[in-house]
Amino acid sequence: MRLTVVGCSPAWPNPGGAQSGYLVEGRLLLDCGPGVLARLREQNGSWPSVDAIVITHFHLDHWGDVVPWVWGRMFGLGRNLAPPELWLPPEGTRELEVFGETFGTPWMFERTFDVREYAEGEPFRAGGLEVLALRVPHYTLRTYGLRVSDGSRTLAYSGDSGPSERLAELARNADLFVCEATLEHGDLDGPQRGHLSADEAVEAFRASGARRLLLTHRPDELSVDDGLQLAYDGLELEV
Ligand SMILES: [Zn+2]
């Protein structure tokens, strides 16, 4: 199973970076933050031909480029392609309707995507792969980590998460755990946690039994210890 890191910036972009977007097998996109659509267009020519997009939560750095995706389609780009499935967290359809009513048009997303909602703990098929969403703690926002499998290999993606035993459950025995590490120290987060330090990501990885760890969502200005692998935009690897 092939993973392409399209964008891996944290909530503020790294210099020249795109925000969250992870492409699996060239057809399933996990998150679609600002900068991701431009990167996909570089790879695909006119318009990305992904089968499905899965959104972990509604912080802008994880879904913002779904909006320009609508405008491009509206003006004819990718017209020859089937509308991608857009998988949202529970009640996400209503979230998009509110956004559309306020900033665009109420039907903008339905016209562009085959909009669906996933349910926690219920596997679904997207882009020919099996996906499972598990809720993780991220301040007060409903947020999910994703587990993706092609039947032989498994990739886990934390989304945005504070420390939690759920991360170990999410990445249990996975071949690759793509885990966020936004913070320099956990205590920068305040009492309600929403992100991880690199040490906390390593702790979750060790508890999970996953085979390989890829840290992501990390500001350029923070280093990581030698021996840890850090995502960068354009990184491709076999899971
Ligand atoms: Zn977030």
Side-chain angles (χ1 to χ4, degrees):
M1 196 162 56
R2 188 151 194 82
L3 171 70
T4 305
V5 176
V6 183
C8 66
S9 284
W12 57 100
N14 288 326
Q19 289 176 305
S20 301
Y22 304 88
L23 187 62
V24 187
E25 289 285 88
R27 54 182 194 258
L28 172 65
L29 181 64
L30 310 179
D31 281 334
C32 187
V36 168
L37 180 55
R39 286 273 157 75
L40 290 174
R41 293 197 68 195
E42 281 182 327
Q43 293 169 8
N44 278 63
S46 174
W47 202 249
S49 61
V50 302
D51 294 339
I53 304 168
V54 185
I55 301 297
T56 58
H57 67 297
F58 279 106
H59 278 153
L60 193 70
D61 56 315
H62 291 257
W63 79 279
D65 263 10
V66 168
V67 175
W69 203 304
V70 170
W71 308 139
R73 281 288 292 223
M74 186 176 293
F75 293 100
L77 290 166
R79 188 178 279 161
N80 55 331
L81 302 169
E85 293 172 6
L86 179 63
W87 286 90
L88 304 172
E91 298 176 34
T93 308
R94 181 65 197 136
E95 300 257 9
L96 286 191
E97 278 171 11
V98 170
F99 182 92
E101 284 161 6
T102 308
F103 298 110
T105 54
W107 40 262
M108 58 187 275
F109 298 103
E110 285 75 13
R111 187 170 135 163
T112 304
F113 300 101
D114 178 0
V115 179
R116 301 165 184 223
E117 292 180 7
Y118 55 78
E120 167 156 55
E122 291 182 15
F124 58 99
R125 301 281 304 175
L129 300 162
E130 184 175 280
V131 186
L132 178 72
L134 289 184
R135 188 155 179 185
V136 291
H138 186 45
Y139 307 116
T140 57
L141 192 65
R142 188 197 300 256
T143 300
Y144 295 83
L146 302 172
R147 190 176 166 94
V148 179
S149 177
D150 68 354
S152 64
R153 310 292 284 178
T154 298
L155 154 75
Y157 165 47
S158 64
D160 282 357
S161 178
S164 168
E165 291 174 359
R166 304 227 76 189
L167 289 171
E169 187 184 340
L170 179 79
R172 182 75 60 215
N173 299 324
D175 296 289
L176 176 70
F177 184 21
V178 181
C179 188
E180 76 120 285
T182 303
L183 303 175
E184 186 172 16
H185 302 293
D187 48 8
L188 289 169
D189 227 2
Q192 184 153 26
R193 298 296 308 272
H195 288 296
L196 301 172
S197 68
D199 287 348
E200 289 167 336
V202 169
E203 205 172 304
F205 165 68
R206 290 198 176 126
S208 73
R211 290 183 185 80
R212 185 174 174 189
L213 173 66
L214 178 66
L215 296 179
T216 194
H217 212 262
R218 186 142 179 98
D220 263 10
E221 51 272 28
L222 299 182
S223 61
V224 293
D225 291 346
D226 289 349
L228 292 174
Q229 190 178 9
L230 187 59
Y232 56 88
D233 295 11
L235 170 66
E236 293 191 30
L237 46 86
E238 280 303 322
V239 175

